[in-house]
């Protein structure tokens, strides 16, 4: 099974989503390399896709979902960056910071919506 690791990024009550195509927004994530830990993959992917380096990892939160058609497991950490400044890679068309309700609307797949809800519930504790 393939594994991708990334993050739900939360700053000042907003969630960061990256725009892959006109209709598809996603969390920053990417393929885990053979010798990497999940944390190493997440940090590398976040830096590659958003240029965010200074961040706090919420250690007691992790979410995951399965993409059945590609047999891929996606693991997501919750992070709080020091800044909301983002520089995206050529892999994405755009980015934006969204309220929980807006982000939920932008995410088209139920598996991604569920992990966003889990993160929001955690943050409201």
């Amino acid at each position: 099974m393939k594994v991708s690791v990334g993050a739900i990024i939360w700053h000042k009550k907003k969630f960061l989503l990256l725009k892959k195509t006109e209709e598809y927004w996603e969390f920053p994530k990417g393929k885990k390399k053979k010798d990497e830990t999940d944390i190493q993959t997440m940090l590398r992917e976040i830096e590659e896709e958003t240029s965010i380096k200074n961040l706090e990892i919420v250690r007691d939160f992790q979410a995951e979902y399965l993409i059945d058609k590609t047999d891929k497991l996606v693991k997501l950490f919750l992070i709080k960056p020091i800044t909301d400044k983002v520089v995206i890679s050529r892999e994405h068309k755009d980015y934006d910071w969204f309220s929980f309700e807006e982000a939920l609307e932008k995410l088209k797949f139920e598996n991604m919506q569920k992990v966003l809800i889990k993160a929001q519930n955690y943050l409201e504790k």
Side-chain angles (χ1 to χ4, degrees):
M1 176 178 294
K2 294 179 245 165
V3 176
S4 283
V5 185
I8 299 166
I9 302 176
W10 187 76
H11 184 71
K12 295 185 179 176
K13 301 191 179 192
K14 300 256 182 168
F15 292 95
L16 176 67
L17 295 179
L18 304 180
K19 188 176 191 177
K20 189 86 166 175
T21 66
E22 284 309 309
E23 294 296 316
Y24 184 69
W25 291 82
E26 65 180 356
F27 303 111
K29 65 183 181 337
K31 292 178 191 153
K32 184 176 180 177
K33 293 182 180 175
K34 191 165 59 171
D35 296 331
E36 285 182 325
T37 66
D38 289 346
I39 296 275
Q40 288 170 329
T41 301
M42 182 269 297
L43 291 172
R44 177 180 53 77
E45 287 294 333
I46 297 307
E47 186 174 348
E48 285 176 7
E49 294 187 3
T50 69
S51 298
I52 293 173
K53 295 179 191 176
N54 295 323
L55 52 89
E56 172 195 346
I57 301 169
V58 179
R59 294 284 177 181
D60 58 343
F61 179 92
Q62 190 174 349
E64 56 185 48
Y65 61 89
L66 191 62
I67 302 174
D68 292 326
K69 66 182 177 184
T70 59
D71 194 35
K72 184 193 304 183
L73 178 65
V74 178
K75 298 179 178 184
L76 296 170
F77 292 90
L78 180 60
I79 67 165
K80 298 176 182 178
I82 304 304
T83 179
D84 64 354
K85 300 221 181 325
V86 173
V87 178
I88 57 171
S89 67
R90 283 183 261 139
E91 189 176 335
H92 294 93
K93 294 181 179 290
D94 201 0
Y95 76 94
D96 209 342
W97 294 92
F98 296 102
S99 69
F100 168 70
E101 293 80 13
E102 293 167 332
L104 200 57
E105 193 176 303
K106 292 286 182 190
L107 295 170
K108 299 298 181 200
F109 295 102
E110 185 179 2
N111 51 12
M112 286 194 272
Q113 292 169 340
K114 284 181 178 178
V115 297
L116 180 67
I117 291 167
K118 181 178 178 179
Q120 179 68 17
N121 288 340
Y122 176 88
L123 291 163
E124 288 178 343
K125 286 197 290 182

